[in-house]
Amino acid sequence: MNLKVKTKLVKEISESQNADIEKIKAGNDIIIECKNLNLWYDDNHALKDINMIVKKNKVTAIIGPSGCGKSTLIRSFNRMNDVIEGCKTEGTVEFRGRNIYGNRISAMKIRKYIGMIFQKPNPFPMSIYDNILYGPKIHRMRDKKKLETILKNSLEMAVLWDEVKDRLKDSALGLSGGQQQRLCIARTLAIEPEVILMDEPTSSLDPIATAKIEELINDLKEKYTVIIVTHNMQQAARISDYTAFMYLGELIEFGETEQIFENPQERLTENYITGRFG
Amino acid sequence: MASTTEIYEQDTTEFEIEGAFDTDKLVHLILLMCASLATIVVFFIIFLLFQNAGNFFRKVPLEEFLFDDHWLPTDEEEPQFGAYNIIAGTLLVAFGAMVIAVPLGILTAIFIAEIAPPKISKFLKASVELLSGVPSVVFGFFGLIILNKYIKEVLGAPSGATWLSGSIILAIMALPTIVTVAEDAISSVPMHYREASLAMGATRWQTISKVILPGAISGITAAVILGLGRAIGETMAVLMVTGNNNVFPDPITDIFSPLRTITGTIGIEMGEVPANSLHYRALFALAIVLFLITFIINLTANFIISRFNKKLRGELKSKSRNQILIPEIIKENKKTITYLILSILFGWLLTNIFDIINAVIISLILIGIILVLRIISPFKLEEYKFLIYFYMLFTLLAWVFSTWFDWETAILMCLALAGFIFILKILNPINQQRVVFSIISIAAFISVLSLSIIIYYIVSNGLPAITWEFLTEDSEDSGRAGGIFPMIVGTLWLTVGAIIYAVPIGVAAGIYLSEYAKEGPITKIIRTGIDNLNGTPSIVFGLFGLAFFVLYLDFGISMIAGQLTLALMILPTIIRTTEESVKSIPQSFREGSLALGSTKWQSISKVVLPAAMPGITTGMILGMGRASGETAPILFTAAVFKQKSLPRYVIQPVMALTYHLFVLATSIPDSDTQAAGTALVLLVLVMIMYSFAIYVRNSYQKKKNW
């Protein structure tokens, strides 16, 4: 399929999309909703009219070929794109019904509720202990006992406690890649967010470490809402409840994961999932 | 939709910004102010130089100042201020230094980067860096005591204080700068260029000369220009070894002639003139000339370096060259015009150095060669351009040699040299490489040797002076006996003070430039300001300190005036190293912190700065090393030779190791051992700081695993 045909298909799809969303919207457990979200990097129109919802205590996966805007989209859920120079956002992203790009909203506070895990594990060059308590400390938590509890709880939840409990004062950079990524998850859990964004969290890990993280994501669902960007379709199929397929900056199809993978409504989605391009 | 809004509506206020006060904005503002300070200082220096030169140019016409060679500032009836010889002397001594230092420096850089085995290369690199910290007054001391004696006794010059010794000392001082920068440029040529060339069967020398050096050429040029800047702005060493006679070498190749430079003149005379006298203003006028020369040199070097970096990153478009508006006619006939200019220049030189008849003969020979070549082979003139350049070059070389020896020897020497180059050209590549590599190794050996001879001399002559009393007692008999305790204390006080003033501002400015500054006109101005501050000669800082801190703010000759002057001088070093080490911290750390809801300043202060600390520390220690080794900035602002007690307040003057050594070496006879001892203590002090800085940086680079 050549590019022109693809682009044409993309245009037809936009209309049919709203119908999907209405279906999923039923129920009152929506935590994030973006409406007509557009984003530019200087002149590059990276996100085009995205309409999407995220349900509470579910795992939502965003898939699509490289450069389709999936990382950009997930970064706009906690305003991490603010860091990038020349980035302009239009439209709204509502978190608990409040537009996070609205007036008087503090990006820092939003990020306290919507944490993020990055593609490459990025523990700070400090001890494991300081890494975990970095978040609570910058949010002015000073109670020693509480900090200890947070430390243990978050490491346990990230299934890392047993591996590191005897060397909490060691540098976090001495951990293996998989351990580092779980440490980053624990670090995010320590600030008790409501939503955890994960930007290809396993792309730099080996299969065993990946399996551990996937298991962990499944456990996290009980308490948290997870949005995960992945280039690995099997991963999306395995762990997510909802899946969004993006292509060239547009949201092509959004629905329950089962439906997307077994019965995609759009030809583009089908082609991508069956591996005809990507 | 309505339902979600209902559930959460009441508690979304917790996302809101609290109050109107924004720490981040305040921090941003403070950092911007610190960064601007460097730029303001540059403008302020320019302003003060002109302000203090005042009405000088109204009393003395600019033509007289620039083109007259009578410098009689203290003549009571009719003082004269013709600085021609002084300005020419500055340029000549720097030129001579470049003639020695450029080939040696570049060859040494090639040796370190391409030829030496890794271990030797590492060792050489560290030693060269270490040696860049040797204080100029130590070089001057060596030149005055050893080199000048050698030139007088062995080479038979009438006096040891000569242009030659000035140039040799300056060359040795400029070597570390040239080697370090050129080595960086050569090493940063990507590895795959080398592999591509070697894979086609080229020898290593062919790869170096045809691929690597052309790739690194702008970096190497920048190295040369920076070395030139250092040589022109150098004060103490030149002042001590060149004799300071207001003469112009006659003939112009007379390297045994004494010279006088701008920096030397200011260094000697400024201490004795009443403020705001015409003589005082004349010295500031000289400083303006010096500042302008170094300013132009710095701008050129920075322009070339930024082009080089763009080229390495592949950002340089070939279009950019055409953006400069050059008329089409000139563009099309570029080569013809180049030849025309060259031959006019050559002709002018000929008529200047020979009489007309000889000049005509030489030109006729050249034309004859070209004609013969055209007749015997149908190639274009292009093919012979090297031959023609060679002819021009060797004519001049022969003339230079002829002023030193007789004509026959000169021509013979030139022919031998030309023959050698010719043979080298026709050798097969492998033998050619052998010859060239030996030459390069010898050059590297000479560079290292010259630096080690100085160190060896200082150590071997200084050691006998070192006793417990020498280190802990005050000096006696004008420094001929006793110790140097107050000078050590003074130097430490000056250094610590400079660091205390410079570090907060420098680190803040470095953080601003790396974390907050957006590329735009303001950032560009700030960066240019810092770069120029970095290349400003230390004596200009001295004058600034004198005019502003000592006279205008009325601190008098005092410790605080010296500390502030030194602080300004080391500010650029600290800004640069901070900026670089903060920039080298991966973006993922900042994102990780921001994603946890930290403010920008929290992520900088809690994550980025601790990680960048070793780099910042390195800059700080380098700054300390530089501050403790400098003489010129404290010459008129803080230092005195003899004082009853240690300074108890910052408004008292201090004694300092550098100044003590300077006075001992130049004005106190029979104090050689004491002077060598002082030089050794100074050298050890500075070397400790430098090696500590290099150690911190290297171990940090090794440990870094993100």
Side-chain angles (χ1 to χ4, degrees), chain A residues 25 27-28 30 33 35 56 75 78 80 83 85 94-98 104-106 108-116 118 122-126 134-135 138-140 173 187-188 191, chain B residues 1 3-5 7-9 11-20 24 517-519 587-600 602-604 606-607 610-611 705-706:
Chain A
K25 260 188 181 175
N28 58 5
I30 297 168
E33 171 162 16
K35 295 175 182 164
K56 206 166 182 246
R75 285 169 69 96
N78 69 342
M80 281 305 283
V83 182
E85 234 172 274
E94 284 172 8
F95 172 55
R96 294 186 190 167
R98 177 91 185 247
R104 297 201 51 79
I105 294 288
S106 155
M108 286 84 217
K109 294 197 174 156
I110 288 297
R111 291 177 193 142
K112 199 181 150 196
Y113 292 93
I114 310 180
M116 185 161 197
F118 296 85
N122 58 350
F124 302 132
M126 317 167 176
Y134 178 85
I138 60 169
H139 293 299
R140 302 281 184 268
L173 298 176
R187 188 175 68 186
T188 302
I191 55 168
Chain B
M1 184 57 226
S3 48
T4 42
T5 319
I7 293 170
Y8 290 117
E9 199 151 58
D11 53 2
T12 53
T13 44
E14 59 198 304
F15 308 153
E16 291 188 1
I17 299 162
E18 285 165 40
D24 256 25
K518 295 192 176 107
E519 288 312 319
Q587 188 62 18
S588 65
F589 289 176
R590 297 179 185 88
E591 291 196 331
S593 170
L594 287 176
L596 291 170
S598 78
T599 62
K600 184 164 186 174
Q602 279 173 327
S603 75
I604 293 171
K606 298 221 157 73
V607 178
N705 52 355
W706 52 72

Side-chain angles (χ1 to χ4, degrees), chain B residues 178 262 286 539:
Chain B
I178 297 180
I262 295 179
L286 275 182
I539 188 105

